[in-house]
Amino acid sequence: MTTVERTVLGVGIDRVDGGQKASGSAPYSGDVTYPGLVHAVLVRSTIAAGRIAAIDASGAEEVPGVLAVVTHENAPRVQRSPATPLWRQPPAPLQRTDIVHHGQYVAMVVADTVEQATEAARLVEVAYEPAEAVVRLDDPRAVDVEDPYGSDQTRGDSAAGLADADVVIDAQYTTPDETNNPMGLFATVAAWDGDRLTVHDTTQWPDSTRNALAGAFGVPESGVRVLAPFVGGGFGAGLRVWPHVILAAMAARVVGRPVKLMLTRPQMFTGIGHRPATIQRIRLGARRDGTLTAIEHESVQPSAIDDDNIVESVTTVSSVGYACPNVTTRDRLRRLNVPVPTSMRGPGDAQGHFGLECALDELAYELGIDPLELRMRNYAEEHPQLRLPWSSKALRRCYELGAERFGWWERDPQPRSMRRGDTLIGYGMAGVTFFWFQQPCEARATIDREGRAFVRSAATDIGTGTYTVMTQLSADRLGLRVDQVRMGLGDTELPSAPMQGGSGMTASLGSAIHDAAGNLIAAFLDLVADDIASPLRGLTAADVVAVDGRLQRRDDPAAGESYREMLDRHDLPDLTADGSAVPAKPEELGLAPAGPFAARFAEVHVDADLGRISVARLVTVVDAGRILNPKTARSQIIGGAVGGIGMALLEETVTDPGTGRIVNATFGDYLIAVNADVPDLDVSFVGDPDRFNPVGVKGVGEIGLVGVAPAIANAVFHATGRRIRTLPLTLDKLL
Ligand code: MOS
């Protein structure tokens, strides 16, 4: 018998779906086709507020191949989809005349080809009655809403803490709207068979899409199947069920044919959310020795007129990041005539860390204390809000290792002191305390007579490596080789799963698979419980280990048998077990659930005459608990860091204040980091397995982005002596 590699967890194997992706055979929703498939193209509002006065579709209807022009006048009635536990769904599309943002869908053309539909869409004439639009976050006419989710925090008395301080920092930081820009255009393919609906969608959460479609069309959820086995990038844009998804299904119903609807790049800027801008005010109080006496952090972010994303808790880091006795945080929404924002990689924490970690840098200079030393002096040994030990925290080790790898202590603290010719050199750093997130999840595992496993769940892989790490986890738990495990994802026919979001999928799905695999081993032991031919009879799961395709006695490895032998003898084709997991409760474990932590160190080069900023080095050390696959985990951190460089230096969705139109809604105008903007990225992992879930993992999906912008902004200050409190850090702000 050949001995297999027992330990597949923690090994940086290649992606199990890499071949499919590299060869182009991975089926993304935009690739799906059906016999008789036709195409829908959307027409968008050219005003930001007001109402539709009239629509003339006659020109469009004359275009050859056009099957239908759908407007509010003739659209089938659909309901607003039911809310998820986390947010309301958007209003049902094409049901009313009022316009609440530029780019709102006002008509849909369905035609035999996408070219015909595109041509006809241009000929739909819409007359509007415009109204005053409020599109700027600093517009005094905008209406504020308190955070409906109550994420505001207080402890102690921050006013007293500020009064008591030797030094106070009081500053405003702003971050702009940014747009989730996965390379793949969002696409939905919808096909009805009577009242049964099949939809292939770009979604991070198939179960939610199914629920929303069933609610919109008044059909049972059991008759709706949503498939998303491959998603491409999401970055949060696929968390919600957007109006175009409902419209694709509506189009298919209207013309009685399967329909494909693929957004254009400009429609990606108005139709699938964006990171909301923030205006943050931060006050820090400290004693001369650097001890924080108070943190006050207020933030306002935009929301749409009639649509709410979950409020992004921008200020959370200020209540959990440091051991400060007096803290007040507050998040508000401000209603604007803009497309609804949604989560974008590192929601809330990305913007909030920019504010807080820059303010701490300002405090460090004010006190004459090294910025890293200041963070060490205020290290939160326990969760400062829950007053419980963290389930895991190795942030101190992140700081120490990061400083060593970067060469932080060679830094001359004096701003503008490090220079090479015309290049000003700056070193900056930031700490990251990311939120914790886990959701209930289910999974199913089968082992067949070939000794192969099929493990599945409705969860998605949005390029994060879920197929790969869940294959590794399943193989480890079941004692199989990686190539003996097949993973099924992205199909609502499979056991229910939460969104691939909030960096929570590895903990959520991993815990469910851990449970399913344990139950499957128990099912095999049940099978042979009274089987006198089995060396495993009468044993429980605790008595055995799974290794080399077999179960064997923990205390006697020779006593055991393979899955195949058990199935053969009992004449069964296979054996299946379900598993599920719900997040643990802090009070039950006596632990505060920890998200991942990180330390980031940036070196920037600034052209002394032109103000051109480039990132020369970025060193990251992450504590994300147990790392299931260092290769895919590192890939997540690198990808996030590239997004962070974009956030720091380039990304900004610009809305024209007069019309509410997004003026840079193309890849030519909306700048994202490209290879030339990205230096070699140094990534290390530290820390112990987390104690809050049985797999020991924390998320790696988002923390790669968080803290990059403040580390770079702080490095720019060190290089130039100029403090920029508004992202992105463009050269006009330095001149
Ligand atoms: Mo993430 S922004 O929760 O997809």
Side-chain angles (χ1 to χ4, degrees), residues 313-375:
S313 188
V314 171
T315 62
T316 297
V317 60
S318 289
S319 65
V320 302
Y322 295 95
C324 174
N326 305 301
V327 174
T328 304
T329 70
R330 184 163 173 242
D331 284 290
R332 276 171 300 155
L333 294 174
R334 190 164 286 172
R335 297 223 178 263
L336 300 176
N337 291 104
V338 296
V340 70
T342 196
S343 299
M344 176 167 156
R345 207 170 194 173
D349 267 340
Q351 304 100 308
H353 277 76
F354 173 69
L356 182 66
E357 292 297 309
C358 287
L360 283 167
D361 200 64
E362 300 202 38
L363 179 64
Y365 281 100
E366 193 67 34
L367 292 167
I369 294 176
D370 178 85
L372 175 51
E373 179 59 31
L374 178 66
R375 286 163 174 85

Side-chain angles (χ1 to χ4, degrees), residues 204 234-237 239 343-347 462 499-503 702:
Q204 295 172 227
F235 310 121
L239 293 174
S343 299
M344 176 167 156
R345 207 170 194 173
I462 59 171
M499 61 172 133
Q500 166 88 278
S503 302
E702 300 175 292

Side-chain angles (χ1 to χ4, degrees), residues 535-625:
L536 298 169
R537 69 182 177 280
L539 298 183
T540 67
D543 305 324
V544 302
V545 290
V547 59
D548 289 0
R550 65 203 292 274
L551 300 179
Q552 60 195 32
R553 293 185 69 117
R554 199 174 282 281
D555 56 7
D556 178 10
E561 61 177 335
S562 70
Y563 298 121
R564 306 166 75 144
E565 288 169 298
M566 289 185 263
L567 290 169
D568 274 344
R569 212 169 49 248
H570 290 262
D571 200 23
L572 286 173
D574 52 41
L575 209 52
T576 295
D578 287 338
S580 64
V582 294
K585 294 204 166 38
E587 55 278 15
E588 282 168 14
L589 288 185
L591 296 171
F597 300 92
R600 330 206 60 127
F601 297 83
E603 176 181 340
V604 301
H605 292 173
V606 183
D607 185 299
D609 300 318
L610 303 175
R612 214 181 142 272
I613 303 166
S614 60
V615 180
R617 287 192 297 143
L618 196 57
V619 170
T620 300
V621 185
V622 179
D623 161 22

Side-chain angles (χ1 to χ4, degrees), residues 655-671:
T655 299
D656 175 52
T659 61
R661 175 175 172 267
I662 294 172
V663 302
N664 60 341
T666 70
F667 269 176
D669 296 314
Y670 182 93
L671 303 182

Side-chain angles (χ1 to χ4, degrees), residues 138-481:
D138 57 5
D139 190 321
R141 295 173 298 172
V143 177
D144 279 5
V145 191
E146 291 298 319
D147 169 11
Y149 298 91
S151 52
D152 298 354
Q153 298 285 349
T154 54
R155 66 172 178 266
D157 181 341
S158 61
L162 286 170
D164 205 26
D166 296 325
V167 173
V168 171
I169 296 291
D170 184 346
Q172 177 175 293
Y173 303 87
T174 63
T175 64
D177 289 327
E178 297 163 23
T179 300
N180 321 39
N181 261 304
M183 294 276 280
L185 299 170
F186 273 40
T188 307
V189 173
W192 289 93
D193 175 8
D195 260 353
R196 300 182 71 83
L197 173 64
T198 303
V199 165
H200 308 257
D201 190 33
T202 312
T203 177
Q204 295 172 227
W205 191 4
D207 283 349
S208 177
T209 303
R210 175 178 61 178
N211 176 264
L213 286 163
F217 291 93
V219 296
E221 266 196 86
S222 58
V224 180
R225 183 179 188 187
V226 176
L227 294 128
F230 289 90
V231 183
F235 310 121
L239 293 174
R240 298 188 90 205
V241 185
W242 299 105
H244 74 267
V245 178
I246 307 295
L247 287 172
M250 183 193 288
R253 186 150 251 202
V254 168
V255 301
R257 305 259 293 269
V259 166
K260 180 181 291 186
L261 194 165
M262 189 181 293
L263 298 184
T264 63
R265 183 60 62 186
Q267 288 170 349
M268 298 277 281
F269 281 77
T270 52
I272 56 166
H274 60 275
R275 188 194 297 289
T278 65
I279 301 174
Q280 305 174 46
R281 183 177 180 193
I282 297 183
R283 273 175 285 196
L284 301 179
R287 299 198 193 288
R288 277 273 152 228
D289 67 359
T291 311
L292 287 167
T293 59
I295 303 176
E296 289 186 355
H297 192 166
E298 282 183 28
S299 174
V300 61
Q301 63 190 278
S303 192
I305 297 296
D306 186 22
D307 194 2
D308 304 305
N309 185 36
I310 189 169
V311 66
E312 299 205 356
S313 188
V314 171
T315 62
T316 297
V317 60
S318 289
S319 65
V320 302
Y322 295 95
C324 174
N326 305 301
V327 174
T328 304
T329 70
R330 184 163 173 242
D331 284 290
R332 276 171 300 155
L333 294 174
R334 190 164 286 172
R335 297 223 178 263
L336 300 176
N337 291 104
V338 296
V340 70
T342 196
S343 299
M344 176 167 156
R345 207 170 194 173
D349 267 340
Q351 304 100 308
H353 277 76
F354 173 69
L356 182 66
E357 292 297 309
C358 287
L360 283 167
D361 200 64
E362 300 202 38
L363 179 64
Y365 281 100
E366 193 67 34
L367 292 167
I369 294 176
D370 178 85
L372 175 51
E373 179 59 31
L374 178 66
R375 286 163 174 85
M376 292 290 207
R377 286 188 195 172
N378 292 287
Y379 194 83
E381 300 285 357
E382 62 172 12
H383 190 293
Q385 203 70 23
L386 297 175
R387 313 301 312 235
L388 288 171
W390 296 95
S391 54
S392 60
K393 181 169 183 175
L395 179 56
R396 192 187 304 280
R397 183 75 192 119
C398 294
Y399 286 135
E400 288 166 353
L401 182 63
E404 182 187 317
R405 293 185 73 81
F406 183 82
W408 176 257
W409 300 112
E410 286 141 40
R411 170 182 183 264
D412 180 336
Q414 189 61 31
R416 229 183 156 85
S417 61
M418 292 167 59
R419 183 170 184 138
R420 201 180 306 127
D422 289 337
T423 301
L424 304 172
I425 296 170
Y427 287 5
M429 59 81 56
V432 183
T433 300
F434 193 73
F435 64 77
W436 169 88
F437 190 68
Q438 190 190 327
Q439 298 252 280
C441 189
E442 297 174 7
R444 182 168 298 149
T446 299
I447 289 181
D448 67 17
R449 229 144 140 173
E450 302 298 311
R452 295 180 177 277
F454 178 39
V455 183
R456 65 270 199 203
S457 161
T460 56
D461 182 337
I462 59 171
T464 42
T466 304
Y467 276 109
T468 307
V469 297
M470 291 304 146
T471 299
Q472 289 175 274
L473 182 63
S474 303
D476 181 79
R477 283 284 282 159
L478 294 169
L480 299 172
R481 295 190 312 267

